[in-house]
Amino acid sequence: MGSILNGQWDGCNGVIIAKCDEIAVNIAAKLLEATWCYQGTSKAILDRVTTDELLRRYAMGERNFINANLRCAVFTSVKLSEINLSYAKLSWANLSQANLSKADLTAADLSEANLSGADLSKAYLMRTNLTKADLQQASLRGANLSSANLSEVNLTDADLRGANLALADLRGANFNFCNLSGANLTGAKLIESDLAFAL
């Protein structure tokens, strides 16, 4: 929204706009299916989707949460299979033991997220940012991680059988006891010594 209005993102949930045009903000928010409020006279705040609200809407059958702002959210041990969280902001979120099988997380930001023990089997994680995420004991069986950023990720005991890691950035990842049988590593960026303890 900041780029549409020639504004600047504040690094969290806000867009700082030098000259604020309420009509332009309304149109931009509508295009992004977002809501906003003013803080002072020069800042538009995009509403954050709360954990409870997302779970309530998911339970009612809704699956589309594209571009949702869920930074630092806690979704431990919840069932969110087939949810669409593409382009969502999930950095520092806690999704340990969550069921995200067949979820669409295309181009989402999951940097430094806790996904330990999560079920991400057959999930779509193309171009997803997983930098420094914790994926130990996670199931990524048959997941599509093509062009994803997995640098410095913890994949200890993770199941990546049949996963697509083509063109993924795997530099500095921890592969201890990680099962990579049948995984596609074509064009992946990795340090071969990192694979020494993979299965």
Side-chain angles (χ1 to χ4, degrees), residues 110-188:
L110 282 154
S111 54
E112 298 189 58
N114 180 358
L115 290 150
S116 58
D119 181 359
L120 288 151
S121 54
K122 296 184 180 176
Y124 301 94
L125 294 144
M126 295 82 72
R127 301 185 316 280
T128 301
N129 181 6
L130 287 151
T131 308
K132 295 183 180 178
D134 184 356
L135 281 157
Q136 60 182 321
Q137 297 182 333
S139 173
L140 290 144
R141 195 170 181 175
N144 189 344
L145 292 137
S146 59
S147 300
N149 186 347
L150 290 123
S151 57
E152 297 181 61
V153 74
N154 184 357
L155 289 162
T156 304
D157 285 316
D159 184 356
L160 280 153
R161 284 176 289 174
N164 181 5
L165 292 156
L167 304 173
D169 187 347
L170 297 160
R171 289 173 291 189
N174 181 347
F175 290 100
N176 284 354
F177 307 108
C178 174
N179 192 334
L180 285 162
S181 62
N184 178 6
L185 291 160
T186 307

Side-chain angles (χ1 to χ4, degrees), residues 31-169:
L31 287 169
L32 293 172
E33 297 179 358
T35 55
W36 65 277
C37 65
Y38 277 126
Q39 185 181 79
T41 55
S42 63
K43 196 170 182 182
I45 310 291
L46 295 185
D47 268 357
R48 187 181 160 85
V49 180
T50 65
T51 306
D52 290 343
E53 182 189 351
L54 184 143
L55 293 174
R56 180 184 58 79
R57 286 162 58 183
Y58 182 90
M60 291 170 62
E62 190 174 341
R63 294 293 179 269
N64 260 348
F65 298 93
I66 298 165
N67 205 34
N69 181 359
L70 293 157
R71 286 183 185 89
C72 306
V74 177
F75 289 108
T76 51
S77 304
V78 297
K79 184 178 186 233
L80 294 170
S81 57
E82 298 184 44
I83 193 168
N84 186 346
L85 285 164
S86 52
Y87 300 93
K89 285 81 179 160
L90 286 152
S91 47
W92 301 290
N94 187 347
L95 293 145
S96 62
Q97 305 294 325
N99 181 345
L100 291 158
S101 59
K102 298 181 184 176
D104 188 348
L105 291 152
T106 302
D109 182 3
L110 282 154
S111 54
E112 298 189 58
N114 180 358
L115 290 150
S116 58
D119 181 359
L120 288 151
S121 54
K122 296 184 180 176
Y124 301 94
L125 294 144
M126 295 82 72
R127 301 185 316 280
T128 301
N129 181 6
L130 287 151
T131 308
K132 295 183 180 178
D134 184 356
L135 281 157
Q136 60 182 321
Q137 297 182 333
S139 173
L140 290 144
R141 195 170 181 175
N144 189 344
L145 292 137
S146 59
S147 300
N149 186 347
L150 290 123
S151 57
E152 297 181 61
V153 74
N154 184 357
L155 289 162
T156 304
D157 285 316
D159 184 356
L160 280 153
R161 284 176 289 174
N164 181 5
L165 292 156
L167 304 173
D169 187 347

Side-chain angles (χ1 to χ4, degrees), residues 1-2 4-8 15-26 36 38 40-44:
M1 187 163 106
I4 295 170
L5 298 171
N6 200 23
Q8 186 177 357
V15 178
I16 300 164
I17 304 163
K19 289 183 180 176
C20 208
D21 180 344
E22 193 171 340
I23 293 167
V25 173
N26 280 330
W36 65 277
Y38 277 126
T41 55
S42 63
K43 196 170 182 182

